[in-house]
Amino acid sequence: MQWIFLVAMVIITSCGNNSSTAEAPIDLVVSENFKNPIGFYNPKPSFSWKLPVTEQIKSQSAYRIVVATNPALLPDNADLWDTNTVDSDQSVWVNYEGAPLESRQKVWWQIMFWDQDGNSSRWSEVAYVELGLLHNSDWQAKWINLPEAEVPDIMDNGYYFHRPQYFRKSFNLENPISQARLYITSKGVFEAEINGIRVGEDVMTPGWTPYKKRIETLTYDVTDRLKKGENAIGVVVAEGWYSGRIAYARSFVGEKPVPQLICQLEITFQDGARQIVASDASWSGTTNGPIRFSDIYEGEDYDANMEMSGWSTPDFKAEDWIAAEEMELDSEIKLLPKRHSAVREKMKLPVISITEPESGKFIFDLGQNMVGVAEVNIPVKKNQKITIRFAEMLQQDGTLYTANYRSARSTDYYIPKDDGMIKWKPKFTFHGFRYVELSGFDSTASPEKDWVAGIVQYSDFEQTGSFTSSHEKLNKLQSNIVWGLRGNFFDIPTDCPQRDERMGWTGDAQVFAPTSIFNSSVHSFWASWLQSAREEQFVDGGIPNVIPNNRGNSSSAGWADAITIIPWEMYLRTGDKSILEENFSMMQKLVGYYHMKPESRFGELNSFGDWLQPYSHNKEDDRKGDTPNELIESAYFAHSIQLTLNAAKVLGYDKEIAELQAVKDSVVMAFRNKFLDENGKLTTALETQTGYLLILTFDLVSPEMAKKIVPRLLNTIEEADNHLRTGFLGTPLLAPVLHKYGETDLLYSILFKETYPSWFYSINQGATTMWERWNSFSHDEGFGEVSMNSFNHYAYGAIGQWMYEGIAGISALEPGYKKILIAPTLGIPLEFARADYTSGYGVISSAWKKLTNGLELKVTIPPNTTARVIIPVEIGMKVLLDEGEIASNSNVSLVERNDASMVLELMPGKYAFKTQQ
Ligand code: RAM
């Protein structure tokens, strides 16, 4: 009897309609791609997983998720949530619907699925998610600072600054430890140590948010750092974005806020007892540590004579340290767990050559414009100051070109305490550079390449895509785009990483966001920045030009719209509806803001126009280009309404759908009446490429009218000798529009232009990143306009989207790539191209190669998706699959055969097609 019961149990728990077991699901993540997070921000996570790639598994027919408070309860006794068998092919974004999770809570989860034939999989490995501190009331700790830090010092250049504050606390733990977590953040930037060893690998934490509303907290597992007996924690806090110089003003215009620390070390002992070590007035501190000064723009000053050996260990005698002052938490400022990865050291670049253009000043070339810090490993003389300067470019005489840093000092100083070798890098600054100039080292030694390394830092995301082709310059462009991304995803999306700016310009962000997600796992990065946008939205619905905002209260068309465009783009590319839910009301308020103005008052909004359009005739401000503000404003108004409407449809917000549709129709009518004549010609003073591109991208006219407009656009391009005449707003639209209207040969020719203005032109001038201007530098004319000349500015990298979607031809037919389109665009200049992209379902790839008499196309489709592939093949030619007949493969079905292509529907798998005479 017992035996029969046991067998029955086994059958029930395997839950199969069919007894065979498939491989377990893999890559379990919560919410925006977090793998086993601790200190997690979201008490209602969603769950996603991937099906294993095997011959047999094509799709999921059902799943079961179990969630428990203890891994031992899994899978059979899940006490928090058991979905039981859910008949569904959903393998991404399954919302947790168990009891709400609480601060600190750690829960374990596991998943199994049934494939298309009802075969059950094995259970996945157990994954977990641990929450951070979700409420201000979770904090016993107080904000602390040193009294002396309240009075800032003044720098030589007149800017005030606060010296970095070192804090410490020693404490006794009487019992063996089972678990310890450090919850920590600062107003400023911090680095923590426990018992002399650094905590975590993050840099410049907590990053930059609207500090008056929200400061992000970090959580670290420090169980292994602590021991029974005496322990100590030490934290150094510097100004960072909080009170350092950032932008034309500081974060808080006119204020001189004091950097502060808050942290809470929570220890659980093996007997279950708990102890909390929290920042408060019992901590002591000093500003007399070795980091004398740190600032994002200026750099860092370090004096080794001031080193305090062992300052974060229990034995340290903190004799001249003073008591910290404590301050209660402010209920207006929410302390919330950081919702995207902090910046980290991601790569280390070696030096490729050394020069000495001025006696005693050696320049180390890293061969690549990058963002981060330089690590030096050099011989020094006691008290002989080392100067470390940076530049993105060199002048003709081989010395550093630093004029484009504007007022940013961007220099580090180090004073050695002894003769000998030092290894050092700064902690609380970052630089944008390719070249490092060293002087002041021990001049008896001759410089070696290993004296300097470039430590590349950016928000800790992974590569999700790659693009390569037969064309060297196109590959260089891809590399420059990726370096532009690495350089400008430094906790927030910045326009540039090197000069006295480095701000979250919204316009730049919206044009580059789609490209960024092809290349990197930046979904949570954008979701987090959008939260800052919600916090910064003005009462009237306007959106500041930079987020976080430190530039006053104006909104600009094409910039503000980042907050409708980015949620929509992220939804399309990930299938995550929560990004629409979270941002819907912000989107709606922006529409309301635009709508406040009667239609007759087009052009009321501030605008940067088609920023930096080449050959501008604009007499007021040539940077704003030739497309009138009012047209840009009205077009973006219509576009933002459309995207908000799309979101309302996805979310099923019926009331809003009707309202938004009505506004959209009236705006579009007004646009047509004002800006177009009946022949589709722009009525503006100048016909611009961008004017036509906006109309065609945002579908502001009927298909019949679009047919009249396309030739006009082509005409403006021809007049420019087949070059682009577009700025920040127009350039990203060129590819989608020309692609949509079948002008891909022209598009290839614009993209492959070597002459100004073009992508390859900058490459021909030596670009290793994207530049702010096509001619930021040229061999003939030298450096461009110095007042605004960044050599690391991702905006024009927006073409990367078409390299994936157009050239390689990978795009999403359904949000999140549940249904994929593979439709490569062959171009005369290319022999082959290949892109790989890791979607929520797994790797999608498309690789094509021209053959003497046809084409080879290799495609990978991940499980639980389907794909439509459009193979360019003329009538009369044959298409083979794996050297055989297509018809013999049951995973492929023919949708259509037309003059120019064969359209097939593919099940998951790998396919090699060949076209032949
Ligand atoms: C400059 C930068 C930035 C741009 C603004 C309008 O500061 O070029 O990228 O968005 O102007």
Side-chain angles (χ1 to χ4, degrees), residues 467 469 471 473-474 477-478 481 717 722-724 731 734-735 738 743-755 757-761 763 770 774 796-800 802-804 806-807 829-830:
F467 173 91
S469 75
H471 200 284
K473 283 186 190 161
L474 192 63
L477 175 59
Q478 166 66 11
I481 292 171
I717 297 175
N722 283 353
H723 283 75
L724 54 86
T731 305
L734 266 169
L738 293 178
E743 296 293 339
T744 50
D745 287 346
L746 174 61
L747 175 52
Y748 265 111
S749 106
I750 296 174
L751 176 56
F752 279 69
K753 277 270 158 335
E754 304 261 346
T755 38
S758 71
W759 287 271
F760 288 2
Y761 179 76
I763 290 174
M770 301 311 296
W774 304 106
Y796 290 142
I799 187 68
W802 188 71
M803 291 158 67
Y804 282 90
I807 299 180
L830 288 182

CSV table of all heavy atoms in Angstrom, one decimal, residues 467 469 471 473-474 477-478 481 717 722-724 731 734-735 738 743-755 757-761 763 770 774 796-800 802-804 806-807 829-830:
chain,number,residue,atom,x,y,z
A,467,PHE,N,28.0,42.6,-33.7
A,467,PHE,CA,27.7,42.8,-35.2
A,467,PHE,C,29.1,42.8,-35.9
A,467,PHE,O,30.0,43.5,-35.4
A,467,PHE,CB,27.0,44.2,-35.4
A,467,PHE,CG,26.9,44.5,-36.9
A,467,PHE,CD1,25.8,44.1,-37.6
A,467,PHE,CD2,28.0,45.2,-37.6
A,467,PHE,CE1,25.8,44.3,-39.0
A,467,PHE,CE2,27.9,45.4,-38.9
A,467,PHE,CZ,26.8,45.0,-39.6
A,469,SER,N,31.1,42.4,-40.0
A,469,SER,CA,30.8,42.4,-41.4
A,469,SER,C,32.1,42.3,-42.2
A,469,SER,O,33.2,42.3,-41.6
A,469,SER,CB,30.1,43.7,-41.9
A,469,SER,OG,31.1,44.7,-41.9
A,471,HIS,N,33.3,44.6,-43.9
A,471,HIS,CA,33.9,45.9,-44.2
A,471,HIS,C,34.6,46.5,-42.9
A,471,HIS,O,33.9,46.7,-41.9
A,471,HIS,CB,32.8,46.8,-44.6
A,471,HIS,CG,33.3,48.0,-45.3
A,471,HIS,ND1,33.8,49.1,-44.7
A,471,HIS,CD2,33.3,48.3,-46.7
A,471,HIS,CE1,34.2,50.0,-45.5
A,471,HIS,NE2,33.9,49.6,-46.8
A,473,LYS,N,35.7,49.4,-42.1
A,473,LYS,CA,35.2,50.7,-41.5
A,473,LYS,C,33.9,50.5,-40.8
A,473,LYS,O,33.6,51.1,-39.8
A,473,LYS,CB,35.2,51.8,-42.5
A,473,LYS,CG,36.6,52.3,-42.8
A,473,LYS,CD,36.6,53.5,-43.6
A,473,LYS,CE,38.1,53.7,-44.0
A,473,LYS,NZ,38.3,54.6,-45.2
A,474,LEU,N,33.0,49.6,-41.4
A,474,LEU,CA,31.7,49.4,-40.7
A,474,LEU,C,32.0,48.7,-39.3
A,474,LEU,O,31.3,49.0,-38.4
A,474,LEU,CB,30.9,48.5,-41.6
A,474,LEU,CG,29.4,48.4,-41.2
A,474,LEU,CD1,28.7,49.8,-41.2
A,474,LEU,CD2,28.6,47.4,-42.0
A,477,LEU,N,33.1,51.2,-37.0
A,477,LEU,CA,31.9,52.0,-36.6
A,477,LEU,C,31.2,51.3,-35.4
A,477,LEU,O,30.8,51.8,-34.4
A,477,LEU,CB,30.9,52.3,-37.7
A,477,LEU,CG,29.6,52.9,-37.4
A,477,LEU,CD1,29.8,54.3,-36.8
A,477,LEU,CD2,28.7,53.1,-38.7
A,478,GLN,N,31.0,50.0,-35.6
A,478,GLN,CA,30.4,49.2,-34.5
A,478,GLN,C,31.2,49.3,-33.2
A,478,GLN,O,30.7,49.5,-32.2
A,478,GLN,CB,30.2,47.7,-35.0
A,478,GLN,CG,29.9,46.7,-33.9
A,478,GLN,CD,28.5,46.9,-33.3
A,478,GLN,OE1,27.7,47.7,-33.8
A,478,GLN,NE2,28.2,46.3,-32.1
A,481,ILE,N,30.7,52.7,-31.7
A,481,ILE,CA,29.4,52.8,-31.1
A,481,ILE,C,29.4,52.1,-29.7
A,481,ILE,O,29.0,52.7,-28.7
A,481,ILE,CB,28.3,52.1,-31.9
A,481,ILE,CG1,28.1,52.8,-33.2
A,481,ILE,CG2,27.0,51.9,-31.2
A,481,ILE,CD1,27.2,52.1,-34.3
A,717,ILE,N,18.2,64.8,-50.3
A,717,ILE,CA,19.5,64.0,-50.1
A,717,ILE,C,20.4,64.2,-51.3
A,717,ILE,O,21.6,64.4,-51.2
A,717,ILE,CB,19.1,62.6,-49.8
A,717,ILE,CG1,18.3,62.4,-48.5
A,717,ILE,CG2,20.4,61.7,-49.8
A,717,ILE,CD1,17.9,61.0,-48.2
A,722,ASN,N,24.1,63.2,-51.9
A,722,ASN,CA,23.9,62.0,-51.2
A,722,ASN,C,24.6,61.9,-49.9
A,722,ASN,O,25.0,60.8,-49.5
A,722,ASN,CB,24.3,60.8,-52.1
A,722,ASN,CG,23.2,60.5,-53.1
A,722,ASN,OD1,22.2,61.1,-53.2
A,722,ASN,ND2,23.6,59.6,-54.0
A,723,HIS,N,24.6,63.1,-49.2
A,723,HIS,CA,25.1,63.1,-47.8
A,723,HIS,C,24.0,63.4,-46.9
A,723,HIS,O,22.9,64.0,-47.3
A,723,HIS,CB,26.2,64.2,-47.7
A,723,HIS,CG,27.5,63.8,-48.2
A,723,HIS,ND1,27.7,63.8,-49.6
A,723,HIS,CD2,28.6,63.5,-47.6
A,723,HIS,CE1,29.0,63.5,-49.7
A,723,HIS,NE2,29.6,63.3,-48.6
A,724,LEU,N,24.2,63.1,-45.7
A,724,LEU,CA,23.2,63.5,-44.7
A,724,LEU,C,23.3,65.0,-44.4
A,724,LEU,O,24.4,65.6,-44.5
A,724,LEU,CB,23.3,62.7,-43.4
A,724,LEU,CG,24.7,62.6,-42.7
A,724,LEU,CD1,24.9,63.8,-41.8
A,724,LEU,CD2,24.8,61.3,-41.9
A,731,THR,N,19.3,62.5,-37.8
A,731,THR,CA,20.2,61.4,-38.2
A,731,THR,C,19.7,60.0,-37.9
A,731,THR,O,19.7,59.1,-38.7
A,731,THR,CB,21.6,61.6,-37.6
A,731,THR,OG1,22.0,62.9,-38.0
A,731,THR,CG2,22.6,60.6,-38.1
A,734,LEU,N,17.1,58.6,-40.5
A,734,LEU,CA,17.5,58.3,-41.9
A,734,LEU,C,17.3,56.8,-42.3
A,734,LEU,O,16.7,56.5,-43.2
A,734,LEU,CB,18.9,58.7,-42.1
A,734,LEU,CG,19.2,60.1,-42.7
A,734,LEU,CD1,20.7,60.4,-42.6
A,734,LEU,CD2,18.8,60.2,-44.1
A,735,ALA,N,17.9,56.0,-41.4
A,735,ALA,CA,17.9,54.6,-41.8
A,735,ALA,C,16.5,54.0,-41.8
A,735,ALA,O,16.1,53.3,-42.8
A,735,ALA,CB,18.9,53.8,-40.9
A,738,LEU,N,14.5,55.4,-44.9
A,738,LEU,CA,15.0,54.9,-46.2
A,738,LEU,C,14.8,53.4,-46.3
A,738,LEU,O,14.4,52.9,-47.4
A,738,LEU,CB,16.5,55.3,-46.4
A,738,LEU,CG,16.7,56.8,-46.6
A,738,LEU,CD1,18.2,57.1,-46.7
A,738,LEU,CD2,15.9,57.4,-47.7
A,743,GLU,N,14.6,52.3,-50.0
A,743,GLU,CA,15.8,53.0,-50.6
A,743,GLU,C,17.1,52.5,-49.9
A,743,GLU,O,17.9,53.3,-49.4
A,743,GLU,CB,15.6,54.5,-50.4
A,743,GLU,CG,14.4,55.1,-51.1
A,743,GLU,CD,14.6,55.0,-52.6
A,743,GLU,OE1,15.8,55.0,-53.1
A,743,GLU,OE2,13.6,55.1,-53.4
A,744,THR,N,17.3,51.2,-49.9
A,744,THR,CA,18.4,50.7,-49.1
A,744,THR,C,19.7,50.9,-49.8
A,744,THR,O,20.8,51.1,-49.1
A,744,THR,CB,18.2,49.3,-48.7
A,744,THR,OG1,17.8,48.5,-49.8
A,744,THR,CG2,17.1,49.1,-47.6
A,745,ASP,N,19.7,51.0,-51.1
A,745,ASP,CA,21.0,51.3,-51.8
A,745,ASP,C,21.5,52.6,-51.5
A,745,ASP,O,22.7,52.9,-51.2
A,745,ASP,CB,20.8,51.1,-53.3
A,745,ASP,CG,20.7,49.7,-53.8
A,745,ASP,OD1,21.0,48.8,-52.9
A,745,ASP,OD2,20.2,49.4,-54.9
A,746,LEU,N,20.5,53.6,-51.5
A,746,LEU,CA,20.9,55.0,-51.1
A,746,LEU,C,21.4,55.0,-49.7
A,746,LEU,O,22.4,55.7,-49.3
A,746,LEU,CB,19.7,55.9,-51.3
A,746,LEU,CG,19.8,57.3,-50.8
A,746,LEU,CD1,20.9,58.0,-51.6
A,746,LEU,CD2,18.5,58.1,-51.0
A,747,LEU,N,20.7,54.3,-48.8
A,747,LEU,CA,21.1,54.3,-47.4
A,747,LEU,C,22.5,53.7,-47.2
A,747,LEU,O,23.3,54.3,-46.5
A,747,LEU,CB,20.1,53.4,-46.6
A,747,LEU,CG,20.3,53.1,-45.2
A,747,LEU,CD1,20.5,54.4,-44.4
A,747,LEU,CD2,19.1,52.4,-44.6
A,748,TYR,N,22.8,52.6,-47.9
A,748,TYR,CA,24.1,52.1,-47.9
A,748,TYR,C,25.1,53.1,-48.4
A,748,TYR,O,26.2,53.3,-47.8
A,748,TYR,CB,24.3,50.8,-48.8
A,748,TYR,CG,24.1,49.5,-48.0
A,748,TYR,CD1,23.0,48.7,-48.2
A,748,TYR,CD2,25.1,49.1,-47.1
A,748,TYR,CE1,22.8,47.5,-47.5
A,748,TYR,CE2,24.9,47.9,-46.4
A,748,TYR,CZ,23.8,47.1,-46.6
A,748,TYR,OH,23.7,46.0,-45.9
A,749,SER,N,24.7,53.9,-49.4
A,749,SER,CA,25.7,54.8,-49.9
A,749,SER,C,25.9,56.0,-49.0
A,749,SER,O,27.0,56.5,-48.8
A,749,SER,CB,25.3,55.3,-51.3
A,749,SER,OG,24.8,56.6,-51.3
A,750,ILE,N,24.9,56.4,-48.3
A,750,ILE,CA,25.1,57.5,-47.2
A,750,ILE,C,25.9,56.9,-46.1
A,750,ILE,O,26.8,57.6,-45.6
A,750,ILE,CB,23.7,57.9,-46.7
A,750,ILE,CG1,22.9,58.6,-47.8
A,750,ILE,CG2,23.9,58.9,-45.5
A,750,ILE,CD1,21.5,59.0,-47.4
A,751,LEU,N,25.6,55.7,-45.7
A,751,LEU,CA,26.4,55.1,-44.6
A,751,LEU,C,27.8,54.9,-44.9
A,751,LEU,O,28.7,55.1,-44.0
A,751,LEU,CB,25.7,53.8,-44.1
A,751,LEU,CG,26.4,53.0,-43.0
A,751,LEU,CD1,26.6,53.8,-41.8
A,751,LEU,CD2,25.5,51.8,-42.7
A,752,PHE,N,28.1,54.6,-46.1
A,752,PHE,CA,29.5,54.3,-46.5
A,752,PHE,C,30.2,55.5,-47.1
A,752,PHE,O,31.4,55.4,-47.6
A,752,PHE,CB,29.5,53.1,-47.5
A,752,PHE,CG,29.4,51.8,-46.8
A,752,PHE,CD1,28.2,51.4,-46.2
A,752,PHE,CD2,30.5,50.9,-46.7
A,752,PHE,CE1,28.1,50.2,-45.6
A,752,PHE,CE2,30.4,49.7,-46.1
A,752,PHE,CZ,29.2,49.3,-45.5
A,753,LYS,N,29.6,56.7,-47.0
A,753,LYS,CA,30.3,57.9,-47.5
A,753,LYS,C,31.6,58.1,-46.7
A,753,LYS,O,31.6,57.9,-45.5
A,753,LYS,CB,29.4,59.1,-47.3
A,753,LYS,CG,28.4,59.4,-48.3
A,753,LYS,CD,29.0,60.2,-49.4
A,753,LYS,CE,28.3,60.1,-50.8
A,753,LYS,NZ,27.6,59.0,-51.2
A,754,GLU,N,32.6,58.6,-47.4
A,754,GLU,CA,33.9,58.8,-46.7
A,754,GLU,C,34.1,60.3,-46.4
A,754,GLU,O,35.0,60.7,-45.7
A,754,GLU,CB,35.1,58.3,-47.6
A,754,GLU,CG,35.0,56.9,-48.0
A,754,GLU,CD,35.8,55.9,-47.1
A,754,GLU,OE1,36.7,56.4,-46.4
A,754,GLU,OE2,35.6,54.7,-47.2
A,755,THR,N,33.3,61.1,-47.1
A,755,THR,CA,33.4,62.5,-47.1
A,755,THR,C,32.5,63.2,-46.0
A,755,THR,O,31.4,62.6,-45.7
A,755,THR,CB,33.2,63.1,-48.5
A,755,THR,OG1,32.1,62.4,-49.0
A,755,THR,CG2,34.4,63.0,-49.3
A,757,PRO,N,29.6,65.3,-44.4
A,757,PRO,CA,29.5,64.7,-43.0
A,757,PRO,C,29.1,63.2,-43.1
A,757,PRO,O,28.1,62.9,-43.8
A,757,PRO,CB,28.4,65.5,-42.4
A,757,PRO,CG,27.5,66.0,-43.5
A,757,PRO,CD,28.3,66.0,-44.8
A,758,SER,N,29.8,62.4,-42.4
A,758,SER,CA,29.4,61.0,-42.5
A,758,SER,C,30.1,60.2,-41.4
A,758,SER,O,31.1,60.7,-40.8
A,758,SER,CB,29.8,60.4,-43.8
A,758,SER,OG,31.2,60.3,-43.9
A,759,TRP,N,29.7,59.0,-41.1
A,759,TRP,CA,30.2,58.2,-40.1
A,759,TRP,C,31.7,57.9,-40.4
A,759,TRP,O,32.6,57.9,-39.5
A,759,TRP,CB,29.4,56.9,-39.9
A,759,TRP,CG,28.1,57.2,-39.2
A,759,TRP,CD1,27.8,57.2,-37.9
A,759,TRP,CD2,26.8,57.4,-39.9
A,759,TRP,NE1,26.5,57.4,-37.6
A,759,TRP,CE2,25.8,57.6,-38.8
A,759,TRP,CE3,26.4,57.5,-41.2
A,759,TRP,CZ2,24.5,57.8,-39.1
A,759,TRP,CZ3,25.1,57.8,-41.5
A,759,TRP,CH2,24.1,57.9,-40.5
A,760,PHE,N,31.9,57.4,-41.6
A,760,PHE,CA,33.3,57.0,-42.0
A,760,PHE,C,34.2,58.2,-42.0
A,760,PHE,O,35.4,58.0,-41.9
A,760,PHE,CB,33.3,56.3,-43.3
A,760,PHE,CG,32.7,54.9,-43.3
A,760,PHE,CD1,32.1,54.4,-42.1
A,760,PHE,CD2,32.7,54.1,-44.4
A,760,PHE,CE1,31.5,53.1,-42.1
A,760,PHE,CE2,32.1,52.8,-44.4
A,760,PHE,CZ,31.6,52.3,-43.2
A,761,TYR,N,33.7,59.4,-42.3
A,761,TYR,CA,34.5,60.6,-42.3
A,761,TYR,C,35.2,60.7,-40.9
A,761,TYR,O,36.5,60.9,-40.8
A,761,TYR,CB,33.7,61.9,-42.5
A,761,TYR,CG,34.5,63.1,-42.5
A,761,TYR,CD1,35.4,63.4,-43.6
A,761,TYR,CD2,34.5,64.0,-41.5
A,761,TYR,CE1,36.1,64.6,-43.6
A,761,TYR,CE2,35.3,65.1,-41.4
A,761,TYR,CZ,36.1,65.4,-42.5
A,761,TYR,OH,36.9,66.5,-42.5
A,763,ILE,N,35.8,58.4,-38.8
A,763,ILE,CA,36.7,57.2,-38.7
A,763,ILE,C,38.0,57.6,-39.4
A,763,ILE,O,39.1,57.3,-38.9
A,763,ILE,CB,36.0,56.0,-39.2
A,763,ILE,CG1,34.9,55.5,-38.2
A,763,ILE,CG2,37.1,54.8,-39.3
A,763,ILE,CD1,34.1,54.4,-38.6
A,770,MET,N,32.3,57.5,-30.9
A,770,MET,CA,31.5,58.4,-31.6
A,770,MET,C,31.8,59.8,-31.2
A,770,MET,O,32.1,60.0,-30.0
A,770,MET,CB,30.0,58.1,-31.3
A,770,MET,CG,29.5,56.7,-31.7
A,770,MET,SD,30.0,56.1,-33.3
A,770,MET,CE,29.1,57.3,-34.4
A,774,TRP,N,30.6,65.6,-36.6
A,774,TRP,CA,31.2,64.7,-37.6
A,774,TRP,C,32.6,65.1,-37.8
A,774,TRP,O,33.5,64.3,-38.2
A,774,TRP,CB,30.5,64.8,-38.9
A,774,TRP,CG,29.0,64.5,-38.8
A,774,TRP,CD1,28.0,65.4,-38.9
A,774,TRP,CD2,28.4,63.2,-38.7
A,774,TRP,NE1,26.8,64.7,-38.7
A,774,TRP,CE2,27.0,63.4,-38.6
A,774,TRP,CE3,28.9,61.9,-38.5
A,774,TRP,CZ2,26.1,62.3,-38.4
A,774,TRP,CZ3,28.0,60.9,-38.4
A,774,TRP,CH2,26.7,61.1,-38.3
A,796,TYR,N,25.2,60.0,-32.4
A,796,TYR,CA,25.3,59.5,-33.8
A,796,TYR,C,25.5,58.0,-33.9
A,796,TYR,O,25.4,57.4,-35.0
A,796,TYR,CB,26.3,60.3,-34.6
A,796,TYR,CG,25.9,61.7,-34.8
A,796,TYR,CD1,26.9,62.7,-34.8
A,796,TYR,CD2,24.6,62.1,-35.1
A,796,TYR,CE1,26.6,64.0,-35.0
A,796,TYR,CE2,24.3,63.4,-35.3
A,796,TYR,CZ,25.3,64.4,-35.3
A,796,TYR,OH,24.9,65.7,-35.5
A,797,GLY,N,25.7,57.4,-32.8
A,797,GLY,CA,25.8,55.9,-32.8
A,797,GLY,C,24.5,55.3,-32.9
A,797,GLY,O,24.4,54.0,-33.0
A,798,ALA,N,23.4,56.1,-33.0
A,798,ALA,CA,22.1,55.5,-33.2
A,798,ALA,C,21.9,54.7,-34.4
A,798,ALA,O,21.0,53.9,-34.6
A,798,ALA,CB,21.0,56.7,-33.1
A,799,ILE,N,22.8,54.9,-35.4
A,799,ILE,CA,22.8,54.1,-36.6
A,799,ILE,C,23.0,52.6,-36.3
A,799,ILE,O,22.6,51.7,-37.1
A,799,ILE,CB,23.9,54.5,-37.6
A,799,ILE,CG1,23.8,53.9,-39.0
A,799,ILE,CG2,25.3,54.3,-37.1
A,799,ILE,CD1,22.6,54.2,-39.7
A,800,GLY,N,23.5,52.3,-35.1
A,800,GLY,CA,23.7,50.9,-34.7
A,800,GLY,C,22.5,50.0,-34.8
A,800,GLY,O,22.5,48.8,-35.1
A,802,TRP,N,20.1,50.1,-37.0
A,802,TRP,CA,19.9,49.6,-38.4
A,802,TRP,C,20.9,48.5,-38.7
A,802,TRP,O,20.6,47.6,-39.5
A,802,TRP,CB,19.9,50.7,-39.4
A,802,TRP,CG,19.5,50.2,-40.7
A,802,TRP,CD1,18.2,49.9,-41.1
A,802,TRP,CD2,20.3,50.0,-41.9
A,802,TRP,NE1,18.2,49.4,-42.4
A,802,TRP,CE2,19.5,49.5,-42.9
A,802,TRP,CE3,21.7,50.2,-42.1
A,802,TRP,CZ2,20.0,49.2,-44.2
A,802,TRP,CZ3,22.2,49.9,-43.4
A,802,TRP,CH2,21.3,49.4,-44.4
A,803,MET,N,22.1,48.6,-38.1
A,803,MET,CA,23.1,47.6,-38.4
A,803,MET,C,22.6,46.2,-38.0
A,803,MET,O,22.7,45.2,-38.7
A,803,MET,CB,24.4,47.9,-37.8
A,803,MET,CG,25.0,49.2,-38.5
A,803,MET,SD,26.2,50.1,-37.5
A,803,MET,CE,27.6,48.9,-37.4
A,804,TYR,N,21.9,46.2,-36.8
A,804,TYR,CA,21.3,44.9,-36.4
A,804,TYR,C,20.0,44.6,-37.2
A,804,TYR,O,19.8,43.5,-37.7
A,804,TYR,CB,20.9,45.0,-34.9
A,804,TYR,CG,22.1,44.8,-34.0
A,804,TYR,CD1,22.9,45.9,-33.6
A,804,TYR,CD2,22.5,43.5,-33.5
A,804,TYR,CE1,24.0,45.7,-32.7
A,804,TYR,CE2,23.6,43.3,-32.7
A,804,TYR,CZ,24.3,44.4,-32.3
A,804,TYR,OH,25.4,44.2,-31.5
A,806,GLY,N,18.6,46.2,-39.8
A,806,GLY,CA,18.6,46.3,-41.3
A,806,GLY,C,19.6,45.4,-41.9
A,806,GLY,O,19.2,44.5,-42.7
A,807,ILE,N,20.9,45.7,-41.7
A,807,ILE,CA,21.9,44.9,-42.4
A,807,ILE,C,21.8,43.4,-42.1
A,807,ILE,O,21.7,42.6,-42.9
A,807,ILE,CB,23.3,45.5,-42.1
A,807,ILE,CG1,23.4,46.9,-42.5
A,807,ILE,CG2,24.4,44.6,-42.7
A,807,ILE,CD1,24.7,47.6,-42.3
A,829,PRO,N,28.3,47.3,-50.9
A,829,PRO,CA,29.7,47.3,-50.3
A,829,PRO,C,30.0,46.1,-49.5
A,829,PRO,O,31.1,46.0,-49.0
A,829,PRO,CB,29.7,48.6,-49.5
A,829,PRO,CG,28.4,49.2,-49.6
A,829,PRO,CD,27.5,48.3,-50.3
A,830,LEU,N,29.1,45.3,-49.2
A,830,LEU,CA,29.3,44.2,-48.2
A,830,LEU,C,29.3,42.8,-48.8
A,830,LEU,O,28.5,42.5,-49.7
A,830,LEU,CB,28.3,44.2,-47.1
A,830,LEU,CG,28.3,45.4,-46.1
A,830,LEU,CD1,27.2,45.2,-45.1
A,830,LEU,CD2,29.6,45.5,-45.4
